[in-house]
Amino acid sequence: MNYDTDILIVGGGLIGSALPIALASVGFNIIVIDQQSNKLKKARNFDGRAYALSHASGRMLKVLGIWDHIHENTQPILDIKVSDGRAGEGASDWHVHFDHQELEEGPMGHLLEDRYLREALRNIISETPQIKYLSDTEVVSQAVDALGSTVILMDGRNLRARVLIGCDGRSSQVATRAGIDRSGWQYNQTALVCAISHEQPHCGVAHQFFTPSGPLAILPLPNNKCSIVWTEAASRAEHINAMNDADYLKALMPFIGDFLGKIELVGDRFSYPLSLSLAENFVLDRIALVGDAAHGIHPLAGQGLNLGLKDIATLTEVLAIAQRRGEDIGTKPVLERYQQWRRFDTSAMAAATDGLNRLFSNDNSILRIARDIGLASVNSNPSLRRGFMRHAAGLSGELPMLLRGQII
Ligand SMILES: Cc1cc2nc3c(=O)[nH]c(=O)nc-3n(C[C@H](O)[C@H](O)[C@H](O)COP(=O)(O)OP(=O)(O)OC[C@H]3O[C@@H](n4cnc5c(N)ncnc54)[C@H](O)[C@@H]3O)c2cc1C
């Protein structure tokens, strides 16, 4: 049976770009297909979007040689402060303070701007002969048979591989074409994303401030800047989005308060309607879903990309071991090992972020008391605090080798 490559990946976002690098590191050949043009992907200006990469994700990026390309632009997350309150009134007296000194591994993670991660992945892909990246094209159909998966591209080209992987985000067409149903809902919330520069140093502290309309995250970046993820009810977000920069900043300021001194908007403003979208199966015969294509969650814990990186580490390990044993990597029994390993963790994170959003995004006075008691008890219990920190750092559960910093 002739194959064009071992593995076809549809969707070359952050996950669809990191996955082939991991797969190439264990000897596979990969073709990635993405609908976006290369020009769009190469935009390099500061735009204010950033990700919190967990400690375990950082280990994996080191093993894969990605960290060397990004480390000078990362900001360690030293502490995290979680509080509850109302804009303009500040936080209630009860909060949780997660201090990285309680974690022997060091910082819980690092903040990194989107543009640096994208550029690093693109550069590594272009230097890796086992990876072919086709941009500006789309899959129009896919078919699976006993020995492989075949896709047909817009220009009529046929490509065939032993397995097809959907990294095409939460509206995954790979999943839809394969008949995989999704469950989930819209949150009726929008994340407004921007960056600020500020007078006072952020000292590497990330803040999560829960307000009745949704959480506000203040995420430290290098050079006295912070990325802001400001969640608002969808209708109010639409109104805020229509404001000019000066009015937008005026609306944002009561949420931030004055602890950073004078603040200014820098870079672009973005908005993301929020939803939960979980695929009912992550695998079928000859097909697997990875990243948001498998599980798109609420961003309040900053874990979506980290979950996708965990998928990558797990799937790469499963496929590498199957290949070394002489198994056919596209068969359902092999792919199911990946699903079994990832299913519980992703469902638990989806449920936790959904639950926290429901618990905190309201102005119910009884729930407010319950929340404050909850925050105070976590804050006063060192082992509970450490448990949360280990989870946020990606250090809990059965970790695949790449997340333990080991070569497969
Ligand atoms: C406001 C916000 C803040 C966040 N902050 C964090 C954070 O701090 N930490 C964290 O871990 N996560 C965070 N996340 C989550 C993170 O951004 C996502 O989980 C992650 O980007 C998903 O990447 P992906 O590659 O799986 O999907 P996507 O980014 O959706 O990429 C999908 C790719 O598939 C391509 N595609 C789609 N359809 C087709 C098709 N038919 N044919 C070909 N190509 C196709 C698209 O062009 C795109 O390149 C945040 C999310 C939001 C909204």
Side-chain angles (χ1 to χ4, degrees), residues 178-219:
I180 298 176
D181 288 334
R182 308 186 77 82
S183 52
W185 41 80
Q186 299 296 323
Y187 280 112
N188 195 26
Q189 288 175 319
T190 300
L192 300 165
V193 176
C194 64
I196 54 168
S197 62
H198 40 85
E199 219 174 15
Q200 302 298 329
H202 51 54
C203 304
V205 182
H207 296 262
Q208 182 75 279
F209 179 44
F210 286 102
T211 78
S213 50
L216 176 96
I218 306 172
L219 307 167

Side-chain angles (χ1 to χ4, degrees), residues 10-16 33-36 41 50-52 137-139 167-170 173 191 193 219 229 272 274 290-293 299 302-306:
V10 175
L14 294 173
I15 293 301
I33 301 152
D34 196 276
Q35 64 188 9
Q36 277 191 349
K41 286 174 182 286
Y51 304 99
T137 188
E138 262 186 73
V139 170
C167 292
D168 47 349
R170 45 183 82 203
Q173 291 300 304
V193 176
L219 307 167
V229 182
Y272 300 88
L274 301 182
V290 171
D292 277 17
Q303 288 294 336
L305 184 61
N306 290 304

Side-chain angles (χ1 to χ4, degrees), residues 78-396:
L78 299 181
D79 294 4
I80 301 179
K81 288 186 178 165
V82 181
S83 55
D84 182 24
R86 295 188 189 89
E89 294 178 14
S92 72
D93 291 339
W94 311 108
H95 66 271
V96 185
H97 180 184
F98 298 111
D99 181 345
H100 78 289
Q101 289 179 27
E102 293 182 58
L103 210 62
E104 53 272 22
E105 283 84 356
M108 283 166 267
H110 290 79
L111 256 302
L112 175 69
E113 285 171 44
D114 177 89
R115 59 179 172 152
Y116 292 126
L117 186 53
R118 275 181 206 278
E119 184 178 42
L121 297 174
R122 203 176 48 243
N123 288 344
I124 296 168
I125 286 175
S126 67
E127 288 158 10
T128 309
Q130 290 148 276
I131 309 174
K132 204 162 150 190
Y133 193 105
L134 308 176
S135 52
D136 223 346
T137 188
E138 262 186 73
V139 170
V140 289
S141 72
Q142 73 193 40
V144 165
D145 57 54
L147 297 174
S149 288
T150 306
V151 300
I152 302 179
L153 303 186
M154 284 159 70
D155 59 11
R157 261 181 298 176
N158 271 27
L159 293 172
R160 183 165 171 77
R162 291 194 282 160
V163 59
L164 167 65
I165 302 182
C167 292
D168 47 349
R170 45 183 82 203
S171 314
S172 171
Q173 291 300 304
V174 170
T176 306
R177 281 189 293 259
I180 298 176
D181 288 334
R182 308 186 77 82
S183 52
W185 41 80
Q186 299 296 323
Y187 280 112
N188 195 26
Q189 288 175 319
T190 300
L192 300 165
V193 176
C194 64
I196 54 168
S197 62
H198 40 85
E199 219 174 15
Q200 302 298 329
H202 51 54
C203 304
V205 182
H207 296 262
Q208 182 75 279
F209 179 44
F210 286 102
T211 78
S213 50
L216 176 96
I218 306 172
L219 307 167
L221 294 176
N223 304 321
N224 240 23
K225 291 196 186 82
C226 283
S227 175
I228 304 292
V229 182
W230 173 18
T231 305
E232 273 289 352
S235 53
R236 181 158 150 77
E238 204 177 314
H239 171 69
I240 295 169
N241 251 335
M243 293 175 176
N244 61 29
D245 279 0
D247 290 340
Y248 186 96
L249 188 62
K250 223 184 272 173
L252 172 62
M253 266 158 39
F255 288 85
I256 296 186
D258 56 7
F259 76 101
L260 289 171
K262 188 167 179 289
I263 63 173
E264 276 174 33
L265 279 183
V266 279
D268 299 329
R269 291 162 28 184
F270 299 86
S271 72
Y272 300 88
L274 301 182
S275 63
L276 175 75
S277 176
L278 301 175
E280 294 196 345
N281 288 304
F282 292 0
V283 302
L284 292 176
D285 213 18
R286 305 278 163 199
I287 289 181
L289 303 177
V290 171
D292 277 17
H295 41 72
I297 63 168
H298 197 290
L300 70 82
Q303 288 294 336
L305 184 61
N306 290 304
L307 284 185
L309 293 172
K310 254 190 193 179
D311 295 349
I312 292 175
T314 308
L315 184 60
T316 303
E317 188 168 322
V318 165
L319 297 185
I321 290 171
Q323 172 90 341
R324 287 171 199 163
R325 285 185 189 148
E327 293 176 276
D328 179 347
I329 59 163
T331 57
K332 203 168 169 203
V334 170
L335 297 174
E336 262 174 354
R337 290 173 209 153
Y338 156 69
Q339 169 161 277
Q340 271 165 18
W341 201 341
R342 295 299 299 131
R343 181 57 111 178
F344 177 76
D345 183 40
T346 49
S347 307
M349 185 58 81
T353 50
D354 187 72
L356 281 174
N357 186 50
R358 281 170 203 276
L359 177 65
F360 280 92
S361 299
N362 62 73
D363 210 6
N364 181 310
S365 51
I366 297 172
L367 285 181
R368 187 173 288 281
I369 294 168
R371 297 193 299 248
D372 285 353
I373 292 171
L375 290 174
S377 36
V378 174
N379 201 45
S380 61
N381 183 330
S383 62
L384 209 54
R385 241 177 17 235
R386 228 175 89 81
F388 275 109
M389 273 195 282
R390 293 196 70 74
H391 204 73
L395 297 170
S396 50

